[in-house]
């Protein structure tokens, strides 16, 4: 899972990089809300990565080497894909996030009893139990779902939360492909402008 979470952050870095480039060149100034959503997704993936590190997923040198180099290559592939077609890049990420949902779901189902007997890592407890779930609801573009306040009593809850987070990423990637929803996101930003 550590490898998966190392690579899982790359789409959001690449999308933010491309959007920032478009804004810098003056091609697309309305993308600030979209950058915020992608930052929130990356922030969430960062915590997933920290949880996997706390569980020892990064102990082997070869795993780290392979994950870091794969992540760099994946970043540049996604930058190229996003420049050619943002919709295609979002679709590709949606498929990968859906695979992550399935992978975590199978793991949770297969190991429920064991996972329920283990304490959550400190980083997971701090992230999911915090009264200030910084940026947690920002990447959840399904407005009707409301705020999530996940429980985190054991390792089972942690993996269920990660699976559910990945499911929210799937919804977000799907929403990013829909021009009407994208217009709503930009409109939301316009309505909540700060002085």
């Amino acid at each position: 899972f550590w490898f998966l979470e190392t690579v899982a952050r790359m789409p959001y870095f690449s999308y933010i990089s491309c959007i920032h480039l478009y804004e810098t060149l003056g091609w697309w100034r309305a993308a600030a809300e979209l950058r915020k959503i992608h930052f929130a997704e990356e922030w969430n993936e960062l915590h997933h990565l920290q949880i996997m590190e706390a569980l020892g997923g990064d102990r082997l040198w070869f795993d780290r080497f392979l994950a870091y180099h794969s992540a760099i290559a994946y970043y540049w592939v996604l930058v190229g894909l996003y420049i050619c077609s943002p919709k295609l890049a979002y679709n590709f990420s949606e498929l990968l996030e859906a695979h992550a949902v399935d992978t975590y779901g199978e793991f949770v189902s297969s190991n429920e009893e064991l996972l329920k007997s283990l304490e959550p890592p400190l980083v997971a407890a701090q992230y999911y139990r915090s009264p200030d779930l910084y940026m947690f609801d920002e990447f959840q573009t399904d407005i009707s779902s409301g705020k999530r306040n996940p429980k985190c009593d054991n390792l089972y809850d942690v993996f269920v939360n990660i699976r559910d987070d990945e499911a929210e990423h799937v919804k977000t990637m799907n929403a990013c492909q829909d021009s009407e929803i994208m217009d709503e996101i930009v409109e939301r930003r316009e309505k909540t402008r700060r002085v």
Side-chain angles (χ1 to χ4, degrees):
F1 288 116
W2 179 82
F3 181 96
L4 177 69
E5 294 301 340
T6 299
V7 174
R9 298 172 66 200
M10 291 305 108
Y12 311 115
F13 282 135
S14 65
Y15 302 158
I16 290 168
S17 296
C18 291
I19 292 167
H20 188 274
L21 175 65
Y22 293 163
E23 289 174 336
T24 301
L25 297 174
W27 294 349
W28 194 24
R29 293 269 186 220
E33 186 69 19
L34 190 55
R35 268 193 302 116
K36 182 179 177 185
I37 289 168
H38 292 323
F39 175 75
E41 289 174 304
E42 191 282 322
W43 185 257
N44 177 256
E45 294 289 4
L46 167 67
H47 286 84
H48 295 174
L49 179 64
Q50 290 174 338
I51 290 166
M52 297 310 153
E53 287 172 351
L55 295 172
D58 64 338
R59 285 193 186 138
L60 298 177
W61 176 87
F62 183 74
D63 289 345
R64 290 191 310 272
F65 178 85
L66 191 60
Y68 294 148
H69 287 81
S70 297
I72 291 167
Y74 187 46
Y75 169 85
W76 286 109
V77 166
L78 286 171
V79 165
L81 191 58
Y82 195 91
I83 288 171
C84 292
S85 171
K87 187 172 184 173
L88 187 59
Y90 287 135
N91 183 265
F92 185 69
S93 291
E94 178 186 1
L95 295 173
L96 288 177
E97 293 288 5
H99 176 69
V101 172
D102 293 341
T103 302
Y104 280 112
E106 288 176 24
F107 180 74
V108 164
S109 296
S110 300
N111 299 286
E112 182 174 355
E113 189 176 318
L114 174 63
L115 293 172
K116 284 184 175 180
S117 70
L118 299 171
E119 292 291 315
L122 180 59
V123 67
Q126 289 172 335
Y127 181 61
Y128 288 112
R129 290 179 183 160
S130 171
D132 178 22
L133 290 171
Y134 177 71
M135 303 292 282
F136 189 71
D137 292 314
E138 293 298 327
F139 68 86
Q140 300 178 33
T141 53
D142 182 10
I143 299 167
S144 62
S145 67
K147 293 194 180 286
R148 281 180 40 213
N149 192 8
K151 67 179 195 169
C152 187
D153 297 331
N154 50 49
L155 201 52
Y156 176 81
D157 292 340
V158 171
F159 278 97
V160 166
N161 290 339
I162 293 173
R163 181 203 60 205
D164 293 349
D165 290 348
E166 300 299 347
E168 291 297 328
H169 293 304
V170 170
K171 292 177 191 175
T172 303
M173 292 296 96
N174 184 276
C176 287
Q177 297 170 63
D178 186 331
S179 59
E180 287 181 23
I181 294 174
M182 291 302 296
D183 291 342
E184 273 182 40
I185 290 169
V186 171
E187 201 174 294
R188 219 183 325 161
R189 177 179 179 259
E190 297 300 321
K191 287 181 181 177
T192 58
R193 285 207 168 192
R194 297 181 190 133
V195 178

